[in-house]
Amino acid sequence: MIQYPNIETERLFIRELTLDDIEAVYRHFSYPEVTEFMDIDVCKNIEEVREIIAFHINDSGCRYGLFNKENNELIGTCGFHCWSTENQESKAEIGFDLSPQYWGKGLMQEALLKVIRIGFDSMRLHYIEAITEIKNVPSQKLLKKIGFNEEKDLKDNLLYFTLRDNEQVG
């Protein structure tokens, strides 16, 4: 079991979510804009949030909370899930979300650059996958900006991206 480190960036404190974060996560996942492209619906009660956090605590990856340094408010989450080893290659899928009032400020890029390093350095991933819906253009642009490569095949109306450890991350 990996001990995931806390991370600090210029504007964020990034740490694994715990059940102590239920209220903040509930507020965050109550925004329809946050969950629009996720595989969850807008959270309707605390129990749904408890299940989401517990899933990530028990999953093989991790889910970080992104906390604004100015006010310690939870403004988003990101992390790895579906961690597996196939054909001697370790991979995981990265996911991320951000509260709408923080969109377009470069905060998710700031967080992902650090979290991706955790994936390659601590988890020893060979590559990281990301999946977006076709309509989620801002996430696609971010993934490409960071260095992810878009796969050519469209599957289930979803776009697939990969980033290998030896590729330039920026």
Side-chain angles (χ1 to χ4, degrees):
M1 187 81 170
I2 287 184
Q3 188 72 17
Y4 294 97
N6 292 340
I7 304 167
E8 187 173 339
T9 69
E10 181 182 337
R11 299 176 289 174
L12 300 169
F13 291 118
I14 304 170
R15 64 168 174 76
E16 270 192 280
L17 290 174
T18 69
L19 292 175
D20 292 337
D21 298 311
I22 286 178
E23 291 289 334
V25 174
Y26 175 68
R27 282 190 302 277
H28 177 67
F29 286 149
S30 293
Y31 287 108
E33 302 92 339
V34 170
T35 61
E36 179 180 4
F37 296 115
M38 296 176 70
D39 59 356
I40 63 170
D41 293 325
V42 171
C43 288
K44 295 171 188 66
N45 58 57
I46 293 292
E47 191 52 42
E48 288 178 341
V49 175
R50 183 182 317 280
E51 290 173 13
I52 291 168
I53 294 172
F55 169 80
H56 286 291
I57 289 171
N58 296 317
D59 188 38
S60 61
C62 69
R63 195 68 174 193
Y64 280 107
L66 312 179
F67 295 87
N68 184 339
K69 276 187 174 180
E70 290 181 3
N71 57 16
N72 206 34
E73 176 186 6
L74 176 76
I75 65 167
T77 75
C78 68
F80 298 104
H81 53 276
C82 302
W83 185 7
S84 69
T85 301
E86 294 177 3
N87 304 323
Q88 306 299 322
E89 285 202 312
S90 181
K91 68 175 183 173
E93 184 181 326
I94 196 164
F96 51 91
D97 51 80
L98 194 63
S99 294
Q101 63 267 37
Y102 294 97
W103 292 353
K105 300 178 189 302
L107 288 160
M108 189 54 72
Q109 180 177 349
E110 188 175 313
L112 288 178
L113 290 174
K114 296 289 189 177
V115 171
I116 286 168
R117 286 298 358 135
I118 300 291
F120 290 135
D121 297 342
S122 298
M123 297 170 70
R124 303 275 187 239
L125 298 175
H126 292 96
Y127 66 98
I128 297 170
E129 298 177 320
I131 302 170
T132 70
E133 291 188 24
I134 292 174
K135 293 180 183 177
N136 192 350
V137 175
S139 289
Q140 294 160 26
K141 286 181 179 178
L142 174 59
L143 290 167
K144 289 175 184 176
K145 186 175 186 178
I146 289 173
F148 278 79
N149 296 300
E150 183 178 343
E151 298 297 313
K152 299 300 178 208
D153 295 330
L154 187 68
K155 301 174 200 153
D156 299 321
N157 229 13
L158 299 170
L159 296 173
Y160 288 75
F161 295 82
T162 57
L163 180 67
R164 294 202 160 269
D165 186 19
N166 59 354
E167 294 174 330
Q168 182 67 31
V169 177

